[in-house]
Amino acid sequence: MRCLAPHPAGSYLSEPQGSSQCATMELGPPEGGYLELLNSDADPLCLYHIYDQMDLAGEEEIELYSEPDTDTINCDQFSRLLCDMEGDEETREAYANIAELDQYVFQDSQLEGLSKDIFKHIGPDEVIGDSMEMPAEVGQKSQKRPFPEELPADLKHWKPAEPPTVVTGSFLVGPVSSSSTLPCLPLPALFNQEPASGRMRLEETDQMPMPSSSSSSSLSCLNLPEGPVQFVPTVSTLPQGLWQISGTGTGVSSIFIYHGEVPQASQVPPPSGLTVHGLPTSPDRPGSTSPFAPSATDLPSMPEPALTSRANATEHKTSPTQCQAAGEVSNKLPKWPEPVEQFYHSLQDTYQAEPAGPDGILMEVDLVQARLERSSSKSLERELATPDWAERQLAQGGLAEGLLAAKERRRTRETQVIAMLGKAGQGKSYWAGAVSRAWACGRLPQYDFVFSVPCHCLNRPGDVYRLQDLLFSLGPRPLVAADEVFSHIVKRPDRVLLILDAFEELEAQDGFLHSTCGPAPAEPCSLRGLLAGLFQKKLLRGCTLLLTARPRGRLVQSLSKADALFELSGFSMEQAQAYVMRYFECSGMTEHQDRALALLRDRPFLLSHSHSPTLCRAVCQLSEALLELGEEAELPSTLTGLYVGLLGRAALSGPPGALAELAKLAWELGRRHQSTIQEDQFPSADVRTWAMAKGLVQHPPGATESELAFSSFLLQCFLGALWLTLSGEIKDKELPQYLALTPRKKRPYDNWLEGVPRFLTGLIFQPRARCLGALVGPSATALADRKQKVLARYLKRLQPGTLRARQLLELLHCAHEAEEAGIWQHVVQELPARLSFLGTRLTPPDAHVLGKALEAAGQDFSLDLRSTGIDPSGLGSLVGLSCVTHFRAALSDTVALWESLRQHGETELLQAAEEKFTIEPFKAKSLKDVEDLEKLVQTQRTRSSSEDTAGELPAVRDLKKLEFALGPISGPQAFPKLVRILTAFSSLQHLDLDALSENKIGDEGVSQLSATFPQLKSLETLNLSQNSITDLGAYKLAEGLPSLAASLLRLSLYNNCICDMGAESLARVLPDMVSLRVMDVQYNKFTAAGAQQLAASLRKCPHVETLAMWTPTIPFSVQEHLQQQDSRISLR
């Protein structure tokens, strides 16, 4: 579509940066596409003059080509294209993505200068375009290209504007189109500015009455400048406002391009002299200010949102008030259809209600960014990484900021998968509910709709489900939604958040990323097919999927491709105590708050377990029951005793055998990885009624009336262990395998009920009267006596020193739950003196039970606590034990511990922690390792009591081996930092600067290192292999080596770039190295001349045992001859 505009005789625009006018160019019709013209030196105005002279007679018959070099689109073709966009989603998306490259074109430096010159005289209220935000008093939105859903419903009858009307002298104004759907700034809003100096005023105007029109648009008179005027009405979908363009010598005084309603005659302001320097619009590009703007066929697929965002296109300055008003308008969502609005509010009401009583207690816990790593160098399986406490990356700003940051990092129109991981009882389901409530309260504005679906509702057979069913029918409460609502959601999937809670309960959930799925949104399929389509980004593409799950088994492998991983860290010690106070406040028992806290503090083991919200609530429930009985109450010291206390009175008041039947059901469901109970699975209606009345089972969110679930996962684990204790179906020889202390291939099940081993040993070994007998009575405990003997024999045959770290911790927990002196003594006395938990996560309960075992062992221990994620309180408790003589932990965690002890004035513990800490041997694998080591040295230098003694620093005085393996990128950056602190390691014997990926410290690094040799009096091994050392570095090294003559035994310069001059430097210093025994210079670049110099120097060094100097640059015959002369020369 072409705009009628005057033919410019030359450039009427001043050049950017004050340059002279463009020279007039005589050009023929340009060849190629517009993208080629961007790189040419052609004058845009001259090219526009050429295009304007093209014959437009046959334009109606030109077809729409798809080649990028063809530009023949006209008005009718543009209309048909919009119709195709509405009918086909892919076509609409492809065309909708044009604007990103269009924006790139407009950011060209030449065009940017032009735009600055054009609009520099226009006030903030006068700037009109698709980037303009309307003032608040106007009450209308800025004019932008509409979204596909905002186009007229009946596109078949949609037509472009009528052909333009051209008049001279006077101007006839009429409505441009009755199909305009977007509001535009009224004409008075543009003409309300005072005339600027040097501008032409309106001297002679005519007022003409306007005839009536069928469009029902208001008519008015318009004051026009003297001279010919052209009025160009535009298509209603074009992002144009009202432009006044003038230029001398054109024969036309002004051009107006306007669409929308014109103002009433009463609103016309006084004449004004506002003019803008001439700017021709580009042929076939409505709204474009450049003839170089590419056509639709020139552009690749670009995202839809780019067409509606040009916030930075204008160059003028705006006042703060206008900026605020513009932001309010731009953030305002387009008006939705009435059914969509109603559904939106009903969805808000669904999630807005907060649980009452103790269920509504929400504590804000840390949200930690998680990552997956390989479980071992020989395995391809991934597991959740365990960062050190100080290295944890917390999600800044909480939930809302975390989701917003993740949304901004994703690619446009791409589905984003976010996983929230955590152990059972960490509060993942409560957190998912908090996400829904946060959206309902307006704290997640980036989403229009949030759907939360518990995954236990998705294990349903059948192939009759559609995407509507997943969104509307399977949530906590079925929602009624019209087809118009679903159509609206599908059009804007990037504004949808879908929460899948308890994802591990789905059957075969690890296969969703590999299932074949390609149904259309309206095509029925199985629920598994729908989920596979979502994860494979074929359904609702562009939405956000938020999963909550336990990081177990194959599920972790499926989440390796997730866009973001987070982990719930649980309660801190302070948060657990705050939860207890709020629990009794919500229960109306504020008088028992202090007493309940005292009970919990008297049981450090239960206090450590209170980092789990589920267990913290269980402790509160038992404390509430005990405090109602009297003042002599006290909490049990084990988890088994905790759940026995919770279920004891309920079991005695139930039907005969009800607890045993419920325990069997819990075990059978756990074997199938399920926690949901169907109504017909209960042995009787009485058992079902009793279990619901006692709170053992309940209706989960989103479940049908016939579905129930255990109140907590740990309760199901306890009931499963109770069934193993009471059942005669389990053979005695099979019972030890359920403790999960043996390799996985020998276990009869996969330990999905991970709490069973600890509860099993507790139920079998604890005294019958206060444990198993309190649940099922004395008569039902006969089988437990026989099983007790089997497990005792098995546990006493175990050798704790042969178990892995995770299995050793599980054994300690089982022995603690058993409360049997013989088993406990056997386990703690067999503990090895050197205990390494490297890479094994240590939770607060793990740290507590480990400290208790070390105290009872009666021997000294050395602990390796690196990469365990142990919290500061747990680290401090273990370090403070007198039986712990040495420990290793992350440098950052250790420094933080020392700082905390210093602030609290615990001088004795601080001194002990400094003396016990060791870093031998130390391997720096990252820049952070070097920085932590530097901080450690600086901290110790300021705190050390032996500061007067040079080099005697408590944390580093015993370091004998230091490895540096950062690679070619980080190595040269970090090595200077390492050199600055090397002199602190006075006992250093082995310095290894070799890495498989090459550190490449270069000659500069060798020069810096050589300067420290006088202080490294104990250095025996120096490995400088693969560091890109040349002759200059060899010369610097030779200058510093005499300082190590009395201590250095081994020197390696393997695989460097040393030539003959470097070999000569080394040969000169070799006789001075009286303690040197082995020297390796293989794979360098010296020739036979350098080899002969080294061989000659070797004859003067009887103390040297081996000189390895094979290199491909030396002829083999020469090397063989030298070896025959001196057998100490090695060619291997």
Side-chain angles (χ1 to χ4, degrees), residues 577-595:
Q577 298 182 45
Y579 181 89
V580 174
M581 299 292 287
R582 292 187 58 183
Y583 178 90
F584 282 91
E585 180 181 350
C586 294
S587 300
M589 301 177 63
T590 54
E591 67 276 6
H592 294 309
Q593 287 178 331
D594 295 336
R595 178 59 178 157

Side-chain angles (χ1 to χ4, degrees), residues 27-34 36-37 42 46-47 50-51 54 69 292:
L27 300 174
E31 298 179 359
Y34 285 107
E36 295 182 10
L37 295 178
C46 296
L47 289 173
I50 295 173
Y51 270 94
M54 294 177 63
D69 291 336
F292 292 166

Side-chain angles (χ1 to χ4, degrees), residues 466-486:
R466 299 178 301 168
L467 186 57
Q468 296 95 310
D469 300 325
L470 179 63
L471 298 179
F472 305 143
S473 303
L474 300 178
R477 188 173 66 186
L479 302 169
V480 179
D483 293 339
E484 185 177 1
V485 175
F486 179 72

Side-chain angles (χ1 to χ4, degrees), residues 23 68 91 199 255 374 508 549 594 637 790 810 919 1039:
T91 304
R199 298 297 182 86
I255 299 174
R374 294 175 60 180
D594 295 336
S637 58
V790 174
E810 191 66 30
I919 56 175
E1039 285 185 338

Side-chain angles (χ1 to χ4, degrees), residues 241-315:
L242 175 59
W243 288 11
Q244 182 180 358
I245 307 173
S246 65
T248 60
T250 62
V252 178
S253 63
S254 297
I255 299 174
F256 288 92
I257 302 175
Y258 182 79
H259 91 86
E261 296 182 359
V262 296
Q264 299 294 333
S266 61
Q267 299 174 339
V268 178
S272 173
L274 176 65
T275 59
V276 182
H277 293 291
L279 179 66
T281 54
S282 172
D284 291 353
R285 278 146 188 87
S288 172
T289 60
S290 171
F292 292 166
S295 63
T297 56
D298 289 330
L299 301 174
S301 176
M302 294 295 172
E304 166 75 18
L307 284 173
T308 61
S309 176
R310 288 201 185 180
N312 299 323
T314 57
E315 297 290 341

Side-chain angles (χ1 to χ4, degrees), residues 484-522:
E484 185 177 1
V485 175
F486 179 72
S487 177
H488 179 87
I489 292 174
V490 170
K491 289 179 181 178
R492 297 298 304 272
D494 59 307
R495 306 284 299 177
V496 176
L497 173 63
L498 177 59
I499 304 174
L500 299 177
D501 185 28
F503 192 68
E504 74 278 355
E505 295 188 9
L506 283 176
E507 297 178 357
Q509 73 278 357
D510 56 305
F512 289 142
L513 294 177
H514 311 289
S515 300
T516 57
C517 176

Side-chain angles (χ1 to χ4, degrees), residues 415-437:
T415 300
Q416 188 176 41
V417 180
I418 303 175
M420 174 57 62
L421 306 177
K423 287 189 174 183
Q426 292 293 92
K428 299 182 296 296
S429 296
Y430 283 97
W431 184 85
V435 173
S436 303
R437 284 192 293 274

Side-chain angles (χ1 to χ4, degrees), residues 954-1008:
V956 296
R957 64 188 173 190
D958 297 327
L959 180 65
K960 294 181 174 59
K961 183 176 181 180
L962 176 59
E963 297 182 55
F964 181 84
L966 269 71
I969 298 177
S970 301
Q973 301 175 8
F975 188 71
K977 298 181 179 181
L978 179 66
V979 171
R980 287 197 295 266
I981 60 174
L982 271 180
T983 57
F985 306 105
S986 58
S987 301
L988 187 64
Q989 298 179 358
H990 188 137
L991 180 58
D992 189 351
L993 303 180
D994 183 16
L996 293 178
S997 57
E998 303 184 12
N999 289 313
K1000 293 187 176 181
I1001 64 173
D1003 297 336
E1004 181 65 24
V1006 173
S1007 177
Q1008 296 173 359

